Amino acid sequence: MKQFVWGALTVESAVAALFFLRYWRVSADRLFAYFALAFGAMALNWIGLYTATPAFEARHVVYLFRLLAFILIIAGIADKNRRSGSP
């Protein structure tokens, strides 16, 4: 059951990444590029959790993709706020 949910989350993250990538190409707003990269990293996180065996001791390394995704979201928001504050 977990594998099915992780597969669904992978597909949903990849679709969200593709939507944000499309919006970035249309609007050229870097916030959408950051979000596309973040959702791509989340898809890699779910793929890593699916492929890692439960006995794999370095399984926590897979969560670095999730950390990268959250850092990208924060960086995108900070970049957007910095750009909108300048004249």
Side-chain angles (χ1 to χ4, degrees):
M1 184 68 179
K2 272 197 281 189
Q3 288 84 9
F4 176 76
V5 173
W6 284 338
L9 288 170
T10 301
V11 170
E12 291 168 4
S13 296
V15 168
L18 290 175
F19 273 116
F20 280 118
L21 189 63
R22 185 175 130 212
Y23 294 142
W24 171 69
R25 288 182 60 200
V26 169
S27 69
D29 190 358
R30 288 190 304 221
L31 180 67
F32 293 132
Y34 279 111
F35 272 66
L37 290 172
F39 277 103
M42 286 300 286
L44 289 175
N45 173 58
W46 296 120
I47 290 171
L49 284 175
Y50 176 76
T51 58
T53 59
F56 184 53
E57 288 191 19
R59 187 175 172 185
H60 63 279
V61 174
V62 175
Y63 289 101
L64 291 176
F65 289 115
R66 190 178 296 187
L67 177 65
L68 174 67
F70 290 128
I71 289 172
L72 283 168
I73 290 172
I74 291 169
I77 292 171
D79 180 57
K80 180 74 172 181
N81 287 335
R82 188 175 12 155
R83 283 186 293 132
S84 65
S86 62

Coordinates of all heavy atoms in Angstrom, one line a residue:
M1 N 0.8 -1.2 0.0 CA 0.0 0.0 0.0 C 0.9 1.3 0.0 O 0.5 2.2 -0.7 CB -0.9 0.0 1.2 CG -1.9 1.1 1.3 SD -3.0 1.0 -0.1 CE -4.0 2.4 0.2
K2 N 2.0 1.2 0.8 CA 2.9 2.4 0.8 C 3.4 2.7 -0.6 O 3.6 3.8 -1.0 CB 4.0 2.2 1.8 CG 3.7 2.6 3.2 CD 4.9 2.7 4.0 CE 5.5 1.4 4.4 NZ 6.6 1.5 5.4
Q3 N 3.8 1.6 -1.3 CA 4.4 1.8 -2.6 C 3.4 2.5 -3.6 O 3.8 3.3 -4.4 CB 4.8 0.5 -3.2 CG 6.0 -0.1 -2.6 CD 5.7 -0.9 -1.3 OE1 4.6 -1.1 -1.0 NE2 6.7 -1.3 -0.5
F4 N 2.1 2.2 -3.5 CA 1.1 2.8 -4.3 C 1.0 4.3 -4.0 O 1.0 5.1 -4.9 CB -0.2 2.1 -4.1 CG -1.3 2.8 -4.9 CD1 -1.5 2.6 -6.2 CD2 -2.3 3.6 -4.2 CE1 -2.5 3.2 -6.9 CE2 -3.3 4.2 -4.9 CZ -3.4 4.0 -6.3
V5 N 1.0 4.6 -2.7 CA 0.9 6.0 -2.3 C 2.1 6.8 -2.7 O 2.0 7.9 -3.2 CB 0.6 6.1 -0.8 CG1 0.7 7.6 -0.3 CG2 -0.7 5.5 -0.4
W6 N 3.3 6.2 -2.6 CA 4.5 6.9 -3.0 C 4.6 7.1 -4.5 O 5.0 8.1 -5.0 CB 5.8 6.1 -2.5 CG 6.1 6.2 -1.1 CD1 5.7 7.3 -0.2 CD2 6.8 5.4 -0.2 NE1 6.1 7.1 1.0 CE2 6.8 5.9 1.1 CE3 7.4 4.2 -0.5 CZ2 7.5 5.3 2.1 CZ3 8.1 3.5 0.6 CH2 8.1 4.1 1.9
G7 N 4.0 6.1 -5.2 CA 4.0 6.3 -6.7 C 3.0 7.4 -7.1 O 3.3 8.2 -8.0
A8 N 1.9 7.5 -6.4 CA 0.9 8.5 -6.7 C 1.5 9.9 -6.3 O 1.4 10.9 -7.1 CB -0.4 8.3 -5.9
L9 N 2.2 10.0 -5.2 CA 2.9 11.2 -4.8 C 4.0 11.6 -5.8 O 4.2 12.8 -6.1 CB 3.4 11.1 -3.4 CG 2.4 11.1 -2.3 CD1 3.0 10.8 -1.0 CD2 1.7 12.5 -2.2
T10 N 4.7 10.6 -6.3 CA 5.7 10.9 -7.3 C 5.1 11.5 -8.6 O 5.6 12.5 -9.1 CB 6.5 9.6 -7.7 OG1 7.1 9.1 -6.5 CG2 7.5 9.9 -8.8
V11 N 4.0 10.9 -9.1 CA 3.3 11.4 -10.3 C 2.8 12.8 -10.0 O 2.9 13.7 -10.9 CB 2.2 10.4 -10.7 CG1 1.4 11.0 -11.8 CG2 2.9 9.1 -11.2
E12 N 2.2 13.0 -8.9 CA 1.6 14.3 -8.6 C 2.7 15.4 -8.5 O 2.5 16.5 -9.0 CB 0.8 14.3 -7.3 CG -0.5 13.5 -7.4 CD -1.1 13.2 -6.1 OE1 -0.6 13.7 -5.0 OE2 -2.1 12.4 -6.0
S13 N 3.8 15.1 -7.9 CA 4.9 16.0 -7.8 C 5.5 16.3 -9.2 O 5.8 17.5 -9.5 CB 6.0 15.5 -6.9 OG 5.6 15.4 -5.6
A14 N 5.6 15.3 -10.0 CA 6.1 15.5 -11.4 C 5.2 16.4 -12.2 O 5.6 17.2 -13.0 CB 6.4 14.2 -12.0
V15 N 3.9 16.1 -12.1 CA 2.9 16.9 -12.8 C 2.9 18.4 -12.3 O 2.9 19.3 -13.2 CB 1.5 16.3 -12.7 CG1 0.4 17.3 -13.1 CG2 1.4 15.0 -13.4
A16 N 3.0 18.6 -11.0 CA 3.1 20.0 -10.5 C 4.4 20.6 -11.0 O 4.3 21.8 -11.4 CB 3.1 19.9 -9.0
A17 N 5.5 19.9 -11.1 CA 6.7 20.5 -11.6 C 6.5 20.9 -13.1 O 7.0 21.9 -13.5 CB 7.9 19.5 -11.5
L18 N 5.9 20.0 -13.9 CA 5.6 20.4 -15.3 C 4.7 21.6 -15.4 O 4.9 22.4 -16.3 CB 5.0 19.1 -16.0 CG 6.0 18.0 -16.2 CD1 5.3 16.8 -16.8 CD2 7.2 18.4 -17.1
F19 N 3.7 21.7 -14.6 CA 2.8 22.9 -14.7 C 3.6 24.1 -14.3 O 3.5 25.2 -15.0 CB 1.6 22.7 -13.7 CG 0.5 22.0 -14.3 CD1 0.1 20.8 -13.8 CD2 -0.2 22.6 -15.4 CE1 -1.0 20.2 -14.3 CE2 -1.3 21.9 -16.0 CZ -1.7 20.7 -15.4
F20 N 4.4 24.1 -13.3 CA 5.2 25.3 -12.9 C 6.2 25.6 -14.0 O 6.5 26.8 -14.2 CB 5.9 25.1 -11.6 CG 4.9 25.4 -10.4 CD1 4.6 24.4 -9.5 CD2 4.4 26.6 -10.2 CE1 3.8 24.6 -8.4 CE2 3.5 26.9 -9.2 CZ 3.2 25.8 -8.3
L21 N 6.8 24.6 -14.6 CA 7.7 24.8 -15.7 C 7.1 25.5 -16.9 O 7.6 26.4 -17.5 CB 8.4 23.5 -16.1 CG 9.5 23.5 -17.1 CD1 10.7 24.3 -16.5 CD2 9.9 22.1 -17.5
R22 N 5.8 25.1 -17.2 CA 5.1 25.7 -18.2 C 4.8 27.2 -17.9 O 4.9 28.1 -18.8 CB 3.8 24.9 -18.5 CG 3.0 25.5 -19.7 CD 1.8 24.6 -19.9 NE 0.7 25.5 -20.0 CZ -0.5 25.2 -19.7 NH1 -0.8 24.0 -19.2 NH2 -1.5 26.0 -19.8
Y23 N 4.4 27.4 -16.7 CA 4.1 28.8 -16.3 C 5.3 29.7 -16.3 O 5.3 30.9 -16.6 CB 3.4 28.9 -14.9 CG 2.1 28.2 -14.8 CD1 1.7 27.5 -13.7 CD2 1.2 28.3 -15.9 CE1 0.5 26.9 -13.6 CE2 -0.1 27.7 -15.8 CZ -0.4 27.0 -14.7 OH -1.7 26.4 -14.6
W24 N 6.5 29.1 -16.0 CA 7.7 29.8 -16.0 C 8.1 30.2 -17.5 O 8.5 31.3 -17.7 CB 8.8 29.0 -15.4 CG 10.2 29.6 -15.6 CD1 10.7 30.7 -15.1 CD2 11.2 29.1 -16.5 NE1 12.0 31.0 -15.5 CE2 12.3 30.0 -16.4 CE3 11.3 28.0 -17.3 CZ2 13.5 29.7 -17.1 CZ3 12.5 27.7 -18.0 CH2 13.6 28.6 -17.9
R25 N 7.8 29.3 -18.4 CA 8.1 29.5 -19.8 C 7.2 30.6 -20.4 O 7.7 31.4 -21.2 CB 8.0 28.3 -20.6 CG 9.1 27.3 -20.4 CD 9.0 26.1 -21.2 NE 9.1 26.4 -22.6 CZ 8.6 25.6 -23.6 NH1 8.1 24.5 -23.3 NH2 8.7 26.0 -24.8
V26 N 6.0 30.7 -19.9 CA 5.0 31.7 -20.4 C 5.3 33.1 -19.8 O 5.4 34.1 -20.5 CB 3.6 31.3 -20.1 CG1 2.6 32.4 -20.3 CG2 3.2 30.0 -20.9
S27 N 5.6 33.1 -18.4 CA 5.7 34.4 -17.8 C 7.1 34.8 -17.5 O 7.3 36.0 -17.2 CB 5.0 34.3 -16.4 OG 5.7 33.5 -15.5
A28 N 8.1 33.9 -17.6 CA 9.5 34.2 -17.3 C 9.7 34.7 -15.9 O 10.7 35.4 -15.6 CB 10.1 35.2 -18.3
D29 N 8.8 34.3 -15.0 CA 9.0 34.7 -13.6 C 9.8 33.6 -12.9 O 9.4 32.4 -13.0 CB 7.6 34.8 -12.9 CG 7.7 35.4 -11.5 OD1 8.8 35.6 -11.0 OD2 6.6 35.6 -10.9
R30 N 10.9 33.9 -12.2 CA 11.8 32.9 -11.6 C 11.1 32.2 -10.5 O 11.6 31.0 -10.2 CB 13.1 33.6 -11.1 CG 14.0 34.1 -12.3 CD 15.3 34.5 -11.7 NE 15.2 35.6 -10.7 CZ 15.9 36.6 -10.7 NH1 16.9 36.7 -11.5 NH2 15.8 37.5 -9.7
L31 N 10.1 32.7 -9.9 CA 9.4 32.0 -8.8 C 8.9 30.7 -9.3 O 9.0 29.6 -8.6 CB 8.3 32.8 -8.2 CG 7.5 32.2 -7.1 CD1 8.4 32.0 -5.9 CD2 6.3 33.0 -6.8
F32 N 8.3 30.6 -10.5 CA 7.8 29.4 -11.1 C 9.0 28.4 -11.4 O 8.8 27.2 -11.2 CB 7.0 29.7 -12.4 CG 5.8 30.5 -12.1 CD1 5.4 31.5 -12.9 CD2 4.9 30.1 -11.1 CE1 4.3 32.3 -12.7 CE2 3.7 30.8 -10.9 CZ 3.4 31.9 -11.7
A33 N 10.1 28.9 -11.7 CA 11.3 28.0 -12.0 C 11.7 27.4 -10.7 O 12.0 26.2 -10.6 CB 12.4 28.8 -12.6
Y34 N 11.7 28.2 -9.6 CA 12.1 27.6 -8.3 C 11.1 26.6 -7.8 O 11.5 25.5 -7.3 CB 12.1 28.7 -7.2 CG 13.4 29.5 -7.2 CD1 13.4 30.8 -7.6 CD2 14.6 29.0 -6.8 CE1 14.6 31.6 -7.6 CE2 15.8 29.7 -6.8 CZ 15.8 31.0 -7.2 OH 16.9 31.7 -7.1
F35 N 9.8 26.8 -8.0 CA 8.8 25.9 -7.7 C 8.9 24.6 -8.5 O 8.7 23.5 -8.0 CB 7.4 26.5 -7.7 CG 7.0 27.2 -6.5 CD1 7.6 28.3 -6.0 CD2 5.9 26.7 -5.7 CE1 7.3 28.9 -4.9 CE2 5.5 27.3 -4.6 CZ 6.2 28.4 -4.1
A36 N 9.2 24.7 -9.8 CA 9.3 23.6 -10.7 C 10.5 22.7 -10.2 O 10.4 21.5 -10.1 CB 9.5 24.0 -12.1
L37 N 11.6 23.3 -9.8 CA 12.8 22.6 -9.3 C 12.4 21.9 -8.0 O 12.8 20.8 -7.7 CB 14.0 23.5 -9.2 CG 14.6 23.9 -10.5 CD1 15.7 25.0 -10.2 CD2 15.2 22.8 -11.2
A38 N 11.7 22.6 -7.1 CA 11.3 22.1 -5.8 C 10.4 20.8 -6.0 O 10.6 19.8 -5.3 CB 10.6 23.1 -5.0
F39 N 9.4 20.9 -6.8 CA 8.6 19.8 -7.0 C 9.3 18.6 -7.7 O 9.0 17.4 -7.5 CB 7.3 20.1 -7.8 CG 6.3 20.7 -6.8 CD1 6.0 22.1 -6.8 CD2 5.5 19.9 -6.0 CE1 5.1 22.6 -6.0 CE2 4.6 20.5 -5.2 CZ 4.4 21.8 -5.1
G40 N 10.3 18.9 -8.6 CA 11.1 17.9 -9.1 C 11.9 17.2 -8.1 O 12.1 16.0 -8.1
A41 N 12.4 18.0 -7.1 CA 13.2 17.4 -6.0 C 12.3 16.5 -5.1 O 12.7 15.4 -4.6 CB 13.9 18.5 -5.2
M42 N 11.0 16.9 -5.0 CA 10.1 16.1 -4.2 C 9.8 14.8 -4.9 O 9.6 13.8 -4.3 CB 8.8 16.9 -3.9 CG 8.9 18.0 -2.9 SD 9.4 17.4 -1.3 CE 7.9 16.6 -0.7
A43 N 9.7 14.9 -6.2 CA 9.5 13.6 -7.0 C 10.6 12.7 -6.8 O 10.5 11.5 -6.6 CB 9.2 13.9 -8.5
L44 N 11.9 13.2 -6.8 CA 13.0 12.4 -6.6 C 13.0 11.8 -5.2 O 13.5 10.7 -4.9 CB 14.3 13.2 -6.8 CG 14.6 13.6 -8.2 CD1 15.9 14.5 -8.3 CD2 14.9 12.3 -9.0
N45 N 12.5 12.6 -4.2 CA 12.4 12.1 -2.8 C 11.5 10.9 -2.8 O 11.8 9.9 -2.1 CB 11.9 13.2 -1.9 CG 11.6 12.7 -0.5 OD1 12.4 12.2 0.2 ND2 10.3 12.9 -0.1
W46 N 10.3 11.0 -3.4 CA 9.4 9.8 -3.4 C 9.9 8.6 -4.1 O 9.7 7.5 -3.7 CB 8.0 10.3 -3.9 CG 7.4 11.3 -3.1 CD1 7.0 12.6 -3.5 CD2 7.0 11.3 -1.7 NE1 6.5 13.3 -2.5 CE2 6.5 12.5 -1.3 CE3 7.1 10.3 -0.7 CZ2 6.0 12.8 -0.1 CZ3 6.7 10.6 0.5 CH2 6.1 11.8 0.9
I47 N 10.7 8.9 -5.2 CA 11.3 7.7 -5.9 C 12.3 7.1 -5.1 O 12.4 5.8 -5.0 CB 11.9 8.2 -7.3 CG1 10.8 8.6 -8.2 CG2 12.8 7.2 -7.9 CD1 11.3 9.3 -9.5
G48 N 13.1 7.9 -4.4 CA 14.1 7.3 -3.5 C 13.6 6.5 -2.4 O 14.1 5.5 -2.0
L49 N 12.5 7.0 -1.8 CA 11.8 6.2 -0.7 C 11.2 4.9 -1.2 O 11.2 3.9 -0.5 CB 10.7 7.1 0.0 CG 11.2 8.2 0.9 CD1 10.1 9.0 1.4 CD2 11.9 7.6 2.1
Y50 N 10.7 5.0 -2.4 CA 10.1 3.8 -3.0 C 11.2 2.7 -3.3 O 11.0 1.5 -3.0 CB 9.4 4.1 -4.3 CG 8.9 2.9 -5.0 CD1 7.7 2.3 -4.6 CD2 9.5 2.4 -6.2 CE1 7.2 1.2 -5.2 CE2 9.0 1.3 -6.8 CZ 7.9 0.7 -6.3 OH 7.4 -0.4 -7.0
T51 N 12.4 3.1 -3.8 CA 13.4 2.2 -4.1 C 14.3 1.7 -3.0 O 14.9 0.7 -3.1 CB 14.3 2.8 -5.2 OG1 14.9 4.0 -4.8 CG2 13.5 3.0 -6.5
A52 N 14.3 2.5 -1.9 CA 15.2 2.2 -0.8 C 14.5 1.0 0.0 O 13.3 1.1 0.3 CB 15.4 3.4 0.1
T53 N 15.3 0.1 0.4 CA 14.8 -1.0 1.2 C 14.7 -0.6 2.7 O 15.5 0.3 3.1 CB 15.7 -2.2 1.1 OG1 17.0 -1.9 1.6 CG2 15.8 -2.8 -0.3
P54 N 13.8 -1.1 3.4 CA 13.6 -0.7 4.8 C 14.9 -0.9 5.7 O 15.1 -0.2 6.6 CB 12.5 -1.5 5.3 CG 11.7 -1.9 4.1 CD 12.7 -2.0 3.0
A55 N 15.7 -1.9 5.3 CA 16.9 -2.2 6.1 C 18.1 -1.3 5.7 O 19.1 -1.4 6.3 CB 17.3 -3.7 5.9
F56 N 17.9 -0.5 4.7 CA 19.0 0.4 4.2 C 19.3 1.4 5.3 O 18.5 2.3 5.6 CB 18.5 1.1 2.9 CG 19.5 1.9 2.2 CD1 20.8 1.4 1.9 CD2 19.2 3.2 1.9 CE1 21.7 2.2 1.3 CE2 20.2 4.0 1.2 CZ 21.4 3.5 0.9
E57 N 20.5 1.4 5.8 CA 20.8 2.2 7.0 C 21.0 3.7 6.6 O 20.8 4.5 7.4 CB 22.1 1.7 7.6 CG 21.9 0.4 8.4 CD 23.1 0.1 9.2 OE1 23.9 0.9 9.5 OE2 23.2 -1.1 9.6
A58 N 21.4 4.0 5.4 CA 21.6 5.3 4.9 C 20.3 5.9 4.3 O 20.3 6.8 3.5 CB 22.7 5.5 4.0
R59 N 19.1 5.4 4.6 CA 17.9 5.8 4.1 C 17.6 7.2 4.3 O 16.9 7.9 3.6 CB 16.8 4.9 4.6 CG 15.4 5.1 4.0 CD 14.4 4.1 4.5 NE 13.1 4.5 4.0 CZ 12.0 3.9 4.3 NH1 12.1 2.9 5.1 NH2 10.9 4.3 3.8
H60 N 18.1 7.8 5.4 CA 17.8 9.2 5.7 C 18.4 10.1 4.7 O 18.0 11.3 4.6 CB 18.4 9.5 7.1 CG 19.9 9.4 7.2 ND1 20.5 8.1 7.4 CD2 20.8 10.3 7.2 CE1 21.8 8.3 7.5 NE2 22.0 9.6 7.3
V61 N 19.4 9.6 3.9 CA 20.0 10.5 2.9 C 19.0 10.8 1.8 O 19.0 11.9 1.2 CB 21.2 9.7 2.2 CG1 21.8 10.4 1.1 CG2 22.2 9.4 3.3
V62 N 18.0 10.0 1.6 CA 16.9 10.3 0.6 C 16.2 11.6 1.0 O 15.7 12.3 0.1 CB 15.9 9.1 0.5 CG1 14.8 9.4 -0.4 CG2 16.7 7.8 0.1
Y63 N 16.0 11.8 2.3 CA 15.3 13.0 2.7 C 16.0 14.3 2.4 O 15.5 15.4 2.6 CB 15.0 12.9 4.2 CG 13.9 11.9 4.5 CD1 14.3 10.6 5.0 CD2 12.6 12.2 4.3 CE1 13.3 9.7 5.3 CE2 11.6 11.2 4.6 CZ 12.0 10.0 5.1 OH 11.0 9.0 5.3
L64 N 17.3 14.2 2.0 CA 18.0 15.4 1.6 C 17.3 16.1 0.3 O 17.4 17.3 0.2 CB 19.5 15.1 1.3 CG 20.3 14.8 2.5 CD1 21.7 14.4 2.1 CD2 20.3 15.9 3.5
F65 N 16.7 15.3 -0.5 CA 15.9 15.8 -1.6 C 14.7 16.7 -1.1 O 14.4 17.7 -1.7 CB 15.4 14.7 -2.5 CG 16.4 14.0 -3.3 CD1 16.7 12.7 -3.1 CD2 17.2 14.7 -4.3 CE1 17.7 12.1 -3.9 CE2 18.1 14.1 -5.0 CZ 18.4 12.8 -4.8
R66 N 14.1 16.2 -0.1 CA 13.0 17.0 0.5 C 13.5 18.3 1.1 O 12.9 19.4 1.0 CB 12.3 16.2 1.6 CG 11.0 16.8 2.1 CD 10.3 16.0 3.1 NE 9.9 14.7 2.5 CZ 9.1 13.9 3.1 NH1 8.7 14.1 4.3 NH2 8.7 12.8 2.5
L67 N 14.7 18.2 1.8 CA 15.3 19.4 2.3 C 15.6 20.4 1.2 O 15.4 21.6 1.3 CB 16.5 19.1 3.1 CG 17.4 20.2 3.7 CD1 16.5 21.0 4.7 CD2 18.7 19.7 4.3
L68 N 16.2 19.9 0.1 CA 16.5 20.7 -1.0 C 15.2 21.4 -1.6 O 15.3 22.6 -1.9 CB 17.2 19.9 -2.1 CG 17.4 20.6 -3.5 CD1 18.5 21.7 -3.3 CD2 17.8 19.6 -4.5
A69 N 14.1 20.6 -1.6 CA 12.9 21.2 -2.1 C 12.4 22.4 -1.3 O 12.0 23.4 -1.8 CB 11.8 20.1 -2.2
F70 N 12.5 22.2 0.0 CA 12.0 23.3 0.9 C 13.0 24.5 0.8 O 12.5 25.7 0.9 CB 11.9 22.8 2.4 CG 10.7 21.9 2.5 CD1 10.9 20.7 3.1 CD2 9.5 22.2 2.1 CE1 9.8 19.8 3.3 CE2 8.4 21.4 2.3 CZ 8.5 20.2 2.9
I71 N 14.3 24.3 0.7 CA 15.2 25.4 0.5 C 15.0 26.1 -0.8 O 15.0 27.3 -0.8 CB 16.7 24.8 0.6 CG1 17.0 24.4 2.0 CG2 17.7 25.9 0.1 CD1 18.3 23.7 2.2
L72 N 14.6 25.4 -1.8 CA 14.3 26.0 -3.1 C 13.1 26.9 -3.0 O 13.0 28.0 -3.6 CB 14.2 25.0 -4.2 CG 15.4 24.4 -4.8 CD1 15.1 23.2 -5.6 CD2 16.2 25.4 -5.5
I73 N 12.1 26.4 -2.3 CA 10.8 27.2 -2.1 C 11.1 28.5 -1.3 O 10.7 29.6 -1.7 CB 9.8 26.4 -1.4 CG1 9.3 25.3 -2.4 CG2 8.6 27.2 -1.0 CD1 8.3 24.3 -1.8
I74 N 11.9 28.4 -0.3 CA 12.3 29.5 0.5 C 13.1 30.5 -0.3 O 12.9 31.7 -0.3 CB 13.0 29.1 1.8 CG1 12.0 28.4 2.8 CG2 13.6 30.3 2.5 CD1 12.7 27.7 3.9
A75 N 14.0 30.0 -1.1 CA 14.9 30.8 -1.9 C 14.1 31.5 -3.0 O 14.3 32.7 -3.3 CB 16.0 30.0 -2.5
G76 N 13.1 30.8 -3.5 CA 12.2 31.4 -4.6 C 11.4 32.6 -4.0 O 11.2 33.6 -4.6
I77 N 10.8 32.4 -2.8 CA 10.0 33.4 -2.2 C 10.9 34.6 -1.8 O 10.5 35.7 -2.0 CB 9.3 32.8 -1.0 CG1 8.2 31.8 -1.4 CG2 8.6 33.9 -0.1 CD1 7.6 31.0 -0.3
A78 N 12.1 34.3 -1.3 CA 13.0 35.4 -0.9 C 13.4 36.2 -2.1 O 13.5 37.4 -2.1 CB 14.2 34.9 -0.2
D79 N 13.7 35.5 -3.2 CA 14.1 36.1 -4.5 C 12.9 37.0 -5.0 O 13.2 38.1 -5.5 CB 14.5 35.1 -5.5 CG 14.9 35.7 -6.8 OD1 15.8 36.5 -6.8 OD2 14.3 35.4 -7.9
K80 N 11.7 36.5 -5.0 CA 10.6 37.3 -5.4 C 10.3 38.5 -4.6 O 10.1 39.6 -5.1 CB 9.3 36.4 -5.4 CG 8.1 37.0 -5.9 CD 8.1 37.2 -7.3 CE 6.7 37.7 -7.8 NZ 6.6 37.8 -9.2
N81 N 10.5 38.4 -3.3 CA 10.3 39.6 -2.4 C 11.4 40.6 -2.6 O 11.1 41.8 -2.5 CB 10.2 39.1 -0.9 CG 8.9 38.5 -0.6 OD1 7.9 38.7 -1.3 ND2 8.9 37.6 0.4
R82 N 12.6 40.1 -2.8 CA 13.7 41.1 -3.0 C 13.5 41.8 -4.3 O 13.8 43.0 -4.4 CB 15.0 40.3 -3.0 CG 16.2 41.1 -3.1 CD 17.5 40.3 -2.9 NE 17.1 38.9 -3.1 CZ 17.9 38.0 -3.6 NH1 19.1 38.2 -3.8 NH2 17.5 36.7 -3.7
R83 N 13.1 41.1 -5.4 CA 12.9 41.8 -6.7 C 11.7 42.7 -6.7 O 11.7 43.8 -7.3 CB 12.7 40.7 -7.8 CG 14.0 40.1 -8.2 CD 13.8 39.2 -9.4 NE 12.9 38.0 -9.0 CZ 11.9 37.6 -9.7 NH1 11.5 38.2 -10.8 NH2 11.2 36.5 -9.3
S84 N 10.6 42.4 -6.0 CA 9.5 43.3 -6.0 C 9.7 44.5 -5.1 O 9.0 45.5 -5.3 CB 8.2 42.5 -5.5 OG 8.4 42.1 -4.1
G85 N 10.6 44.5 -4.2 CA 10.9 45.6 -3.3 C 11.7 46.7 -4.0 O 11.7 47.8 -3.6
S86 N 12.4 46.3 -5.1 CA 13.3 47.3 -5.7 C 12.5 48.1 -6.7 O 11.6 47.6 -7.3 CB 14.5 46.6 -6.4 OG 14.0 45.7 -7.4
P87 N 12.9 49.4 -7.0 CA 12.2 50.2 -7.9 C 12.3 49.8 -9.4 O 13.2 49.3 -9.8 CB 12.7 51.6 -7.7 CG 14.0 51.5 -6.9 CD 14.0 50.1 -6.3

